[in-house]
Amino acid sequence: MNGLSFHPAYLDRPAQEALLASLAPLIARAPFFRPTMPKTGKPFSVEMTNLGPLGWVSDREGGYRYQATHPVTGQAWPAIPQALLDLWQAVAHYPVAPQACLVNLYRDGAKMGLHVDADERDRAAPVVSISLGDSAIFRLGGATRGGPTSSLKLNSGDVVVLGGASRHFYHGIDRVLSGSSTLVPGGGRINLTMRVVG
Ligand code: MD3
Ligand code: FE
C-alpha cells in the first residue's frame, strides 16, 4: 500500500551463516568505522562500512555523502557479492542494480534516531534491507516528522523492501535486543541496506 514489503525469515539460518561468512573477508578489507555528525562531530553509536562503487559516510567537515573510498583506509570499497545482487534482483523489482550496500553494525546499546534517507539522487529506487543477528525494534513514521509511527520487530534473516512512498518516510532503530541471536560473533546486529544512489 505504501510500498513497503516485508519478507520475514527470507533467509534461513544456513543462508544467514553463508552470507555472514562471505562478508567477513570484505569487512576485513573495509573495516567498520564510526561516522560522526555533520557540524557537531558527535559520534554515531552505530558503526558502518560499505560495499559497492559508492559508500555512505559522514563526518563533521564533509557531512552526509556518498564516496568511492573508505574514509580511514582510503581504498575503494569491496564489490557487492553476487548473492546480494541476486537478492536485490529477486525482491526490488527495479531495473537498476544497487551502487551501494551500507553495512551497519549495532553493538551494545547502539541505535539509530528517526531520519529520512535523502542523500540519493534516484528518488524512485527502493531500498532493500537485510537484518542479521540480534533482533531490533524498527520504527516507521510517515513523510513528516512528528506524525504517527508504528514499530516492527526485525529478526535475523528478515528482508524489507522500502519502495514507493515508504522510501521517503521517517524511520529508525529504537533498540536492539541484546543476546536474542547467536549469529554474529561477539554479539549484536548487522543490517545491510542496498541503494541506488543515482
Ligand atoms: C525506511 N538502517 O541505514 S533498515 C539506514 O536497521 C537505516 O540499520 C536501519 O535506516 C537499520 O539508513 C533500518 C530499513 C530501512 C532502510 C531504509 C529506509 C528502512 C527505510 C528508507 C526509507 C524508509
Ligand atoms: Fe535509513
Side-chain angles (χ1 to χ4, degrees):
M1 204 192 76
N2 56 19
L4 181 151
S5 70
F6 181 40
H7 304 267
Y10 187 91
L11 301 176
D12 63 14
R13 175 77 186 208
Q16 294 166 36
E17 287 171 355
L19 175 55
L20 201 56
S22 76
L23 294 176
L26 308 181
I27 293 170
R29 280 164 53 204
F32 287 108
F33 63 94
R34 191 177 296 280
T36 55
M37 290 293 289
K39 301 203 242 292
T40 65
K42 183 181 161 22
F44 282 45
S45 62
V46 179
E47 294 165 78
M48 299 182 174
T49 189
N50 292 270
L51 307 173
L54 289 172
W56 190 89
V57 302
S58 177
D59 53 41
R60 187 205 305 257
E61 302 73 26
Y64 300 159
R65 64 198 186 274
Y66 282 91
Q67 65 180 38
T69 55
H70 190 288
V72 178
T73 69
Q75 299 297 302
W77 307 104
I80 302 175
Q82 189 60 43
L84 285 175
L85 297 173
D86 291 346
L87 192 155
W88 168 276
Q89 184 87 262
V91 302
H93 308 297
Y94 196 73
V96 179
Q99 293 155 292
C101 179
L102 174 61
V103 184
N104 292 332
L105 174 63
Y106 295 77
R107 285 215 137 115
D108 38 37
K111 53 195 165 55
M112 190 178 287
L114 271 190
H115 67 277
V116 173
D117 291 19
D119 303 315
E120 301 81 18
R121 276 183 302 273
D122 187 330
R123 306 249 139 208
V127 171
V128 172
S129 156
I130 306 164
S131 293
L132 295 171
D134 285 344
S135 300
I137 309 299
F138 172 67
R139 183 163 296 279
L140 184 66
T144 57
R145 191 182 277 284
T149 65
S150 54
S151 75
L152 183 67
K153 189 167 156 181
L154 295 179
N155 297 317
S156 196
D158 291 355
V159 170
V160 189
V161 182
L162 295 306
S166 71
R167 172 68 180 77
H168 308 289
F169 285 179
Y170 279 85
H171 61 279
I173 294 292
D174 288 348
R175 63 197 186 93
V176 173
L177 308 180
S178 179
S180 54
S181 164
T182 58
L183 187 75
V184 174
R189 170 173 187 264
I190 290 176
N191 180 265
L192 309 174
T193 48
M194 289 186 276
R195 299 129 184 276
V196 177
V197 179

